Amino acid sequence: MSATLDAAAAPIAIGGVAYEVVMGIECHVELKTETKMFCGCRNVFGAEPNTNVCPVCLGMPGALPVPNRLAIELLVKAGLAFGSEIPAYSKFDRKNYFYPDMPKDYQISQFDMPLTQGGVVPFWLPDGTHGSCRLTRIHLEEDTGKSSHASRDGRIAGSTHSLVDFNRAGVPLMECVSEPDIRSAPAAVAYLEALKRTFVALGVSDVKMEEGSLRCDVNLSLRPVGQEEYGTKTEIKNMNSFNSVRRAIESEMARQAEILENGGRIVQETRGWDEAAGTTHSMRSKEQAHDYRYFPDPDLTPIEFAPLDVTRLRESLVGLPQARIDRFVSDDKLSIAQAHQIVDTPGLADYYDAATALTEKPQATANFVLGDLSRLANETGVPAGESRLGVESLAEIVALVEAKTINSKTAKDLIARVWSDGGSPREIVAAEGLGQVSDSGAIDTLVAAVLAANEKSVADYRAGKTKVMGFLVGQVMKQSRGTANPTLAEERLRAALGDGAE
Ligand SMILES: [Zn+2]
């Protein structure tokens, strides 16, 4: 399979040669489980430091780990959603390195037999092109604790101490490793967004980036277009939002391009992203896998998957967001942005789907759902699905507008009214005479009254200031309590003022 088809991947000219950027992404995602990966401690964010800890996650001698079955199942579901292969056997390994927030001095991870292998993540780019990125693997490991350094976050300013909180130590973490298929910053962000919306939809993770439940590292190198061999790569760390990922990639591309332009060589290393400065800086030279002295964890037996388990997990995958986005774009002809917005707002895709099944007018339905309904949801804090405007009511409004029984102004008012008070839009229109006035005779009466009351505007119009037409149409709409057909109102006004066909 070839790399991402990506219109955003414009080549970079370096010394008269066209270069392309090549990126792979490693993404760490905390899994949404009640308890940690190998012990019964609670997996929650924001608890008092060092309150969710026990001998296992503190690495006390003799304490033995017991794997969390739900974490393994969630990870396998994530892999199945992207068509990954689930090998029959998998195992846990010890990754040995010293770090003060890792009490055991090794991390339980997976080396050569991960839970999933392969798979493809499809996504749409904002410009309407379709892209994809292959997955190398998704493996399961445990998170580390968290240190606070005086110099970094100021929480213990002036102190020479560092603090450590082990609440996060042992939280189940999945690492998604991609192939080097990404060719632009927009593709990197689209890939990460595709991962995020899938994990949220499956309940695999809540993916709160501000709480650090999704963290990613980008491997980036440049090479002349057409060259097969990769250039020397750097790994960028510490991005805490998709916007930071985009900025970090652009900054690192420019830095590498400048070095190559000046005849220099890229050093393989790990670089940190400085959010405030908008630049990357060298952290350390890159480790090799053998530096970690991986070996199978003797405290944990290998994992064996029964085919039935995999079948059961595969069957539990319903309503995957990418399939919905594809359907909204290809069948409903919505724009990429509309499809993403509907799918990324909790509950909105179900509402849109149910309403469209009744209206059979996808674009008109999407316009209301993303316009008035989203605005009301924001203003009232009530999601569309929980408001009193049921999908049947919205379908009635769409039908009334399509039939030109009501105009868009009346539709807007009705939506706001039914949203809070309930009721049938069709009955309200009939009872209160809100139907659009499309009778020329009735409109002409209003036009005559408006022209008589606005002599100055009439004179201005005749003197060539045609902009006053908007004002005059507004006056007719006002006289009709918003029920006049605005197109017809303008037509009759023009006729009365003597330009346009009688
Ligand atoms: Zn514990």
Side-chain angles (χ1 to χ4, degrees), residues 36 39 41 53-54 57:
K36 292 188 183 179
C39 63
C41 291
V53 290
C54 74
C57 55

